[in-house]
């Protein structure tokens, strides 16, 4: 399965740096990384993301939000990630 086959999307309710609980929100973590790499992410933007396992397909002890990667991140480093199997209730998720 590829990142383009399944992803979740969530709209930013405010600018990513304005979230006091950013570490626990996957879409905010992805948006902050996008901005750090010169991209844009601001209130109202819909942020796509996929939950991944680390190198070797192993689950880490980190928070779920830390496992969220943008489809672009996965495409650039496809050998580094394995897509995890998560169901998110209340999120816009789609299967292509």
């Amino acid at each position: 399965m590829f990142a383009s086959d399944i992803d979740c999307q969530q709209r930013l309710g405010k600018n990513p740096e304005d979230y006091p609980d950013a570490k626990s929100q996957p879409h905010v973590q992805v948006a902050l990384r996008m901005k750090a790499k010169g991209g844009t992410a601001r209130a109202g933007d819909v942020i796509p993301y996929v939950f991944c396992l680390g190198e070797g397909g192993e689950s880490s002890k980190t928070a779920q939000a830390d496992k969220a990667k943008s489809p672009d991140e996965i495409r650039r480093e496809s050998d580094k990630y394995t897509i995890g199997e998560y169901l998110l209730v209340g999120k816009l998720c789609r299967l292509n």
Side-chain angles (χ1 to χ4, degrees):
M1 184 175 291
F2 297 97
S4 59
D5 293 332
I6 180 170
D7 67 20
C8 296
Q9 301 175 18
Q10 192 167 358
R11 185 177 312 278
L12 290 169
K14 50 186 136 187
N15 291 329
E17 57 277 353
D18 294 336
Y19 280 84
D21 57 347
K23 289 190 179 249
S24 66
Q25 300 201 42
H27 68 300
V28 178
Q29 289 296 299
V30 171
L32 288 169
R33 281 197 307 276
M34 288 168 54
K35 288 187 79 167
K37 294 178 181 176
T40 60
R42 57 185 170 270
D45 287 353
V46 175
I47 307 298
Y49 59 94
V50 177
F51 288 104
C52 300
L53 300 174
E55 291 184 51
E58 295 182 15
S59 179
S60 65
K61 303 269 187 216
T62 61
Q64 187 174 5
D66 294 338
K67 298 173 188 174
K69 307 296 177 193
S70 74
D72 287 338
E73 286 177 293
I74 295 170
R75 276 191 283 279
R76 283 192 302 271
E77 301 176 357
S78 61
D79 59 327
K80 189 175 177 180
Y81 299 110
T82 301
I83 298 173
E85 296 178 13
Y86 291 91
L87 292 177
L88 300 175
V89 177
K91 304 277 192 282
L92 262 174
C93 295
R94 68 171 177 185
L95 290 169
N96 289 340

